[in-house]
Amino acid sequence: LAATCCAAQVAGVAISVMSMDASGRRKTALRSTFFVVPALVTLSLTWSSTGAVWNSVKVAALMLYLVAFGSGLSAVPWVVNSEIYPLSVRSAAMGQATMCKWVLNWLV
């Protein structure tokens, strides 16, 4: 299952790499969100259900989430964040943004 999850994430990132410049950052992020939300809703509704069918639904929803998240929401914030700062402060600003991200991830 772990290798399948990694493959799903890589597939999503490959979609993001191929489509971000062609379709734009906003469209890429919105397309990703369009699929992430139903995947997370499905996971939340089926989380406490048991049985082989429900387990298959959970795995399918997880794979959909990984592909959808990888196809936009994982990369777009990093690309946009690196583009909005002036060149003179870009490295310091990216360092601060990365530190803030990891501190907030740790808190969650």
Side-chain angles (χ1 to χ4, degrees), residues 15-32 71-73 75-77 79-80 83:
I15 293 168
S16 177
V17 167
M18 292 185 292
S19 69
M20 192 176 306
D21 285 332
S23 62
R25 281 101 171 107
R26 182 175 189 268
K27 187 174 180 181
T28 301
L30 289 174
R31 181 194 62 228
S32 178
S71 71
L73 292 178
V76 170
V79 172
V80 170
E83 293 174 343

Side-chain angles (χ1 to χ4, degrees), residues 10-51:
V10 168
V13 170
I15 293 168
S16 177
V17 167
M18 292 185 292
S19 69
M20 192 176 306
D21 285 332
S23 62
R25 281 101 171 107
R26 182 175 189 268
K27 187 174 180 181
T28 301
L30 289 174
R31 181 194 62 228
S32 178
T33 304
F34 181 77
F35 290 105
V36 163
V37 171
L40 289 177
V41 168
T42 303
L43 276 172
S44 68
L45 293 176
T46 61
W47 189 257
S48 61
S49 303
T50 58

